Amino acid sequence: MSKLSIGVDRGGGRPAFRQIADRVREAVAAGLLAPGDRLPAARVLAAQLGLARGTVDTAYALLAGEGFIEGHGAAGTIVSPLLSPAAPPPPPAPAPVPEIGQVTGVLPFRMGLPALDAFPRTLWSRLAARIARRTGPAELAYPDPAGLPELRESIAAYLRVARGIACTPDQVIVTAGFQGALALAAAALLRPGDPVWVEDPGYFLAHGALRAGGARLVPVPVDPAGLDVAAGVAAAPDARLAVVTPTHQATLGVALSLPRRLALLDWAARQGGWIVEDDYDGEFRYSGHPLPALKSLDRADRVLYAGSFSKVLFPALRLGYLVPPAALHAELVAASRVLQGGLPALEQRIVAAFLAEGHFARHIRKMRGLYAVRRAALADALAAAFGDRLSLTLQAGGMHLLARLADAPPDREMVVRALAAGLAPAAVSTMSPSGRAEEGLLLGFTNVAEAAAPGLAARLATAIGR
Amino acid sequence: MSKLSIGVDRGGGRPAFRQIADRVREAVAAGLLAPGDRLPAARVLAAQLGLARGTVDTAYALLAGEGFIEGHGAAGTIVSPLLSPAAPPPPPAPAPVPEIGQVTGVLPFRMGLPALDAFPRTLWSRLAARIARRTGPAELAYPDPAGLPELRESIAAYLRVARGIACTPDQVIVTAGFQGALALAAAALLRPGDPVWVEDPGYFLAHGALRAGGARLVPVPVDPAGLDVAAGVAAAPDARLAVVTPTHQATLGVALSLPRRLALLDWAARQGGWIVEDDYDGEFRYSGHPLPALKSLDRADRVLYAGSFSKVLFPALRLGYLVPPAALHAELVAASRVLQGGLPALEQRIVAAFLAEGHFARHIRKMRGLYAVRRAALADALAAAFGDRLSLTLQAGGMHLLARLADAPPDREMVVRALAAGLAPAAVSTMSPSGRAEEGLLLGFTNVAEAAAPGLAARLATAIGR
């Protein structure tokens, strides 16, 4: 016992015997007392500490009851030999090296972020404060695993008006963003090894969620008309699931053509396959008119329509939604219950109010205008910085530009150089599960202010070599 | 075209050609226009609407470009035959029948809820308002998939003091409650069909998350010393994972004895198995002293320590945490990234502030006192209402009572009768994956106010038959 000092605090709330027992336990956990080590006799320790003998006896009895120490009669009291000697605590695992495309932080050109500077934060925080104040006891309990009714109501109303999807609040399931939606779909639909069509190139985080769910990914090429459905049917007619971005293909930005849409729906109906429609940025369209959602053409009820608030509000919310086929609804809600126990109520209530009070529609309208300006400004700036080498595809919508550069190093190498200069474009080749996609740079324009575009474009040109 | 009427709103912001195209698309989606149906000639429609001929031509060109309609020269314009005829939208799936034990709403005796009436809601909403106000643009981006640093810092500090776990903030991973922690563990650890020890009886929602992750459940009996480790080793020595509640067994309320703790750790070290320690209500202890966390004895680094804020704050938060072995840290963080994209930042920041400012420790202290009172009051009331038939096990801690009744109907039947009377006890037998566990009623006491206990106990006795 010489290895540890026991101090007893008489002013504190905890009884002295508890303090002694705690100190012994800590010493064992920390390795200061080893199994078999002898403790001082209760009488001796009591005298040292100026305590009644009974106090130390109580502490020792407590520790003996827990199996920490053993009384050996006249031979004294020892630390239980059952306890193995303490090893030093293991060092924490090293942080994983971030892969290209998995950059965190708000660097210029980063994909998939809305204009964070333009979000109505003051309005949002007023709503948050009001809703937090109105929280009653019942709203602290487990939330409905399908999502709060008021949020499902707002989402259904929005989808009817904005995306031509006739759905009731009962059909909507609130998810942890698009990743959460995919995790639910994988849990409800996939058996290990099930083939799943994914766009090549496509959204790499979706690939991770599908692989985690047991999928065998079948890369299906994307051309100017979107996913090549015939190629998918040729490669894996028996796929369980196809994950597509029909409005604005997640990498190349093209829209899935109507004949392809119909072919995809036809495949699903004939083969009993399912389709996840990831409509991640359908709201942002700068010219022409959007095709209605694939879901709105879904006569055989095979489409899981997935939307996210990450792109239209902000990603830290971690909220999105699914409108699944009727046959899958109950299983998806059950998956939400067991995998996450529902989603945070406060966030759901804030979003519901933001939608119901009309702020959402106004915000999207405002962002559509802002993005059109930022997109044009960045396109002009890139043209000025790169000149003839640059070939820029301006799709009708979306939140990023696709730049192809003549006489350029491999796109991954350009990204590494850009990252070193504090810029975060992404490489098309890293989005390709087959590795066969063309090369190119993806440049998010939503966080590039109009005035900053020329400077950032020049910095990019310098970083990757003019 | 007689089947639909087109009205053009000249005051609105949308151009007339858009309005016409929208109306046609909606009519196709709703089945008012079938494939092959003829549209009115542009000239005729323009005259009807009092618009320039060019306006209607533009709308038709837009629709033709999208593949919705086809011009057939002198034969006129028809709805594309590629479009399949509309079916009525499918009816929403019926809500799943709630299983016993999956009751929602705050009914008396419901398990697993803290005292929702006693939560400091005013303080919480003040914190929420302050933190929402201080949200900057960077805090709107994707959150760190391991959890916000300030929350991990607070959790590590709390675990060092309260549970004897020496860990750094880098080792902590924030999760979507305990269900979310299990989902991450399953994604990172389990291959399909891997055997997993679960307590019998035990926490049924955990069983669901494990099954969804591919586990083959191996029920291991629980006796008064907790999980029967020897029985687990006999049944499946090669289990990949053991999921246990050592502090206060999730159904029977017993503590895992020290020899069993050491045997469990020894099994994991020898066999390369992993242990999930679910310390869901370790904070609530009314007599005696808690055994330190299993994790604090974990020399071979095999324990994933899991805690939840559902029981100590409130479930609608959907936040918990894991302290995993170093070897698993990177894989678990990667699973968090792909399965959920991190957790809501606002909620994480509120909890971090609640912990850092000392409210958490005060709240737990207050609840410990309140629960001791409510537990005693309910125990007394049940004894008065049921008399000699009742055998009540008062464990040292936890948030529910285990009642055994002589001459009683099966426990599931008692639960059905109680539910009909607006009361939500749970049946031990429904918590048993093997179906072999004894019977009994589990009664959450945290939401039963002292004064209400006699009335509720009498109502329960009447409902299930005296």
Side-chain angles (χ1 to χ4, degrees):
Chain A
M1 199 68 179
S2 59
K3 281 181 269 181
L4 75 149
S5 63
I6 294 186
V8 169
D9 171 15
R10 284 181 177 70
R14 276 186 322 146
F17 76 89
R18 284 257 159 91
Q19 296 182 46
I20 296 168
D22 285 352
R23 197 71 194 87
V24 171
R25 272 193 225 94
E26 285 163 15
V28 171
L32 296 174
L33 278 176
D37 273 4
R38 186 179 304 271
L39 292 168
R43 184 185 41 77
V44 174
L45 185 57
Q48 274 178 8
L49 296 173
L51 294 170
R53 162 78 190 267
T55 304
V56 179
D57 281 342
T58 306
Y60 279 16
L62 187 65
L63 289 164
E66 293 170 1
F68 265 83
I69 63 176
E70 293 178 5
H72 284 225
T77 300
I78 63 165
V79 175
S80 169
L82 284 170
L83 293 163
S84 44
V97 178
E99 289 173 33
I100 292 171
Q102 297 193 340
V103 181
T104 52
V106 189
L107 298 180
F109 305 135
R110 194 176 161 207
M111 300 251 294
L113 289 178
L116 301 179
D117 59 327
F119 188 75
R121 299 202 311 279
T122 307
L123 166 65
W124 188 267
S125 73
R126 265 208 312 273
L127 272 180
R130 193 186 77 204
I131 283 164
R133 239 184 356 257
R134 289 187 189 165
T135 300
E139 284 150 342
L140 303 176
Y142 284 90
D144 187 330
L148 297 194
E150 63 260 43
L151 180 56
R152 288 188 275 123
E153 181 78 54
S154 294
I155 290 171
Y158 169 70
L159 291 178
R160 279 193 299 268
V161 172
R163 306 296 293 134
I165 296 171
C167 68
T168 66
D170 284 348
Q171 290 174 278
V172 175
I173 299 173
V174 180
T175 68
F178 179 65
Q179 293 306 118
L182 266 193
L184 296 189
L189 285 176
L190 298 184
R191 287 149 311 187
D194 270 351
V196 172
W197 295 0
V198 293
E199 295 169 336
D200 181 14
Y203 183 54
F204 68 95
L205 278 175
H207 303 163
L210 291 166
R211 277 199 203 95
R216 176 170 69 79
L217 300 191
V218 178
V220 178
V222 174
D223 65 25
L227 184 90
D228 184 345
V229 177
V233 173
D238 60 337
R240 179 85 171 142
L241 192 65
V243 180
V244 294
T245 51
T247 304
H248 183 248
Q249 201 273 326
T251 305
L252 304 182
V254 298
L256 189 63
S257 72
L258 185 67
R260 293 260 178 101
R261 286 171 189 243
L262 297 172
L264 182 61
L265 291 167
D266 182 57
W267 161 79
R270 271 188 299 108
Q271 296 277 346
W274 303 100
I275 301 165
V276 171
E277 174 177 24
D278 174 9
D279 200 21
Y280 68 106
D281 67 357
E283 285 83 359
F284 299 123
R285 187 88 186 172
Y286 314 107
S287 60
H289 199 92
L291 282 173
L294 185 63
K295 177 79 176 171
S296 71
L297 301 172
D298 177 26
R299 307 283 175 251
D301 209 19
R302 309 303 298 177
V303 175
L304 293 80
Y305 178 85
S308 171
F309 290 112
S310 293
K311 309 292 187 284
V312 287
L313 294 174
F314 56 89
L317 262 182
R318 309 310 311 125
L319 287 179
Y321 46 89
L322 269 177
V323 184
L328 302 179
H329 184 271
E331 256 179 301
L332 289 164
V333 173
S336 172
R337 187 196 302 276
V338 299
L339 295 181
Q340 61 203 10
L343 292 156
L346 177 61
E347 243 102 12
Q348 291 191 66
R349 291 163 66 216
I350 301 171
V351 175
F354 196 79
L355 267 74
E357 295 174 17
H359 306 302
F360 187 66
R362 261 195 302 282
H363 179 59
I364 289 178
R365 227 168 19 240
K366 202 178 125 202
M367 290 304 101
R368 207 180 277 134
L370 179 71
Y371 291 172
V373 168
R374 290 188 171 180
R375 173 169 167 270
L378 183 59
D380 289 351
L382 290 169
F386 286 94
D388 286 348
R389 291 174 61 205
L390 178 79
S391 152
L392 207 58
T393 314
L394 276 193
Q395 302 294 352
M399 300 166 70
H400 67 265
L401 296 173
L402 168 55
R404 296 178 181 88
L405 282 171
D407 302 321
D411 59 2
R412 288 169 195 245
E413 195 182 318
M414 290 194 282
V415 165
V416 170
R417 291 190 200 167
L419 278 171
L423 305 170
V428 172
S429 69
T430 58
M431 309 287 173
S432 173
S434 74
R436 284 196 308 263
E438 58 167 344
E439 302 213 342
L441 282 187
L442 301 165
L443 299 152
F445 57 75
T446 50
N447 276 292
V448 176
E450 197 180 353
L456 288 170
R459 211 164 112 198
L460 180 68
T462 305
I464 67 182
R466 278 173 206 270
Chain B
M1 199 69 180
S2 58
K3 282 181 268 179
L4 75 150
S5 62
I6 295 184
V8 170
D9 170 15
R10 285 180 176 72
R14 276 185 321 145
F17 76 89
R18 285 256 160 92
Q19 297 182 46
I20 295 169
D22 286 351
R23 197 70 195 86
V24 171
R25 269 191 228 96
E26 287 162 15
V28 171
L32 296 173
L33 278 176
D37 273 4
R38 186 179 303 270
L39 292 169
R43 181 182 45 77
V44 174
L45 185 57
Q48 273 178 9
L49 296 174
L51 294 169
R53 161 77 188 267
T55 304
V56 179
D57 281 342
T58 306
Y60 279 18
L62 186 66
L63 290 164
E66 293 170 3
F68 265 83
I69 62 175
E70 293 179 4
H72 284 226
T77 301
I78 62 165
V79 175
S80 168
L82 284 172
L83 293 162
S84 45
V97 178
E99 289 172 32
I100 291 171
Q102 297 193 339
V103 180
T104 52
V106 189
L107 298 180
F109 305 136
R110 194 176 160 205
M111 301 251 293
L113 289 178
L116 301 179
D117 59 328
F119 188 75
R121 299 202 312 278
T122 307
L123 167 65
W124 187 266
S125 73
R126 265 208 311 273
L127 272 179
R130 194 186 77 204
I131 283 164
R133 239 184 354 257
R134 290 188 189 164
T135 299
E139 284 150 341
L140 303 176
Y142 284 90
D144 186 331
L148 297 194
E150 64 261 42
L151 179 55
R152 288 189 274 123
E153 180 78 55
S154 295
I155 290 171
Y158 168 71
L159 291 178
R160 279 192 299 267
V161 172
R163 305 298 292 134
I165 296 171
C167 66
T168 65
D170 284 348
Q171 291 173 279
V172 176
I173 299 173
V174 180
T175 68
F178 178 66
Q179 293 306 118
L182 266 193
L184 295 189
L189 285 176
L190 297 184
R191 286 149 312 187
D194 271 350
V196 172
W197 295 0
V198 293
E199 296 169 334
D200 181 14
Y203 183 54
F204 68 94
L205 277 176
H207 304 163
L210 292 166
R211 277 200 204 96
R216 176 169 68 80
L217 300 191
V218 178
V220 179
V222 173
D223 65 24
L227 184 90
D228 184 344
V229 177
V233 173
D238 61 337
R240 178 86 172 142
L241 191 66
V243 180
V244 295
T245 51
T247 304
H248 183 250
Q249 200 272 325
T251 305
L252 304 181
V254 299
L256 189 63
S257 72
L258 186 66
R260 293 261 178 101
R261 285 171 190 244
L262 298 171
L264 183 60
L265 292 167
D266 182 56
W267 162 78
R270 272 188 298 108
Q271 297 277 345
W274 303 100
I275 300 165
V276 170
E277 175 178 23
D278 175 10
D279 200 21
Y280 68 106
D281 67 356
E283 286 83 357
F284 299 123
R285 187 88 184 172
Y286 314 108
S287 60
H289 200 93
L291 282 172
L294 186 63
K295 178 81 178 169
S296 71
L297 300 172
D298 177 25
R299 307 285 174 248
D301 208 20
R302 309 302 298 177
V303 175
L304 293 81
Y305 178 85
S308 170
F309 291 111
S310 294
K311 309 292 187 282
V312 288
L313 294 174
F314 57 89
L317 261 183
R318 307 312 309 125
L319 287 178
Y321 46 88
L322 269 177
V323 185
L328 302 179
H329 184 271
E331 256 178 301
L332 289 163
V333 173
S336 171
R337 188 197 300 278
V338 299
L339 295 182
Q340 61 203 11
L343 292 156
L346 176 62
E347 246 101 11
Q348 291 190 67
R349 291 162 67 214
I350 301 172
V351 175
F354 195 79
L355 267 74
E357 295 174 18
H359 306 303
F360 188 65
R362 260 195 303 281
H363 179 59
I364 288 178
R365 222 163 30 236
K366 201 177 125 202
M367 290 305 101
R368 207 180 276 134
L370 180 72
Y371 291 172
V373 169
R374 290 189 171 180
R375 174 170 166 270
L378 183 58
D380 289 350
L382 290 169
F386 286 93
D388 286 348
R389 291 175 59 204
L390 178 78
S391 152
L392 208 56
T393 314
L394 275 193
Q395 302 294 351
M399 301 165 71
H400 67 264
L401 294 174
L402 169 54
R404 296 179 181 89
L405 282 170
D407 301 324
D411 59 3
R412 289 169 194 244
E413 195 182 319
M414 289 194 283
V415 165
V416 169
R417 290 190 201 169
L419 278 171
L423 305 170
V428 172
S429 69
T430 59
M431 310 285 174
S432 172
S434 74
R436 283 195 307 262
E438 57 167 347
E439 302 214 341
L441 282 188
L442 301 165
L443 298 152
F445 56 76
T446 50
N447 276 292
V448 176
E450 198 180 353
L456 288 170
R459 211 164 112 198
L460 180 68
T462 304
I464 68 182
R466 282 174 202 271

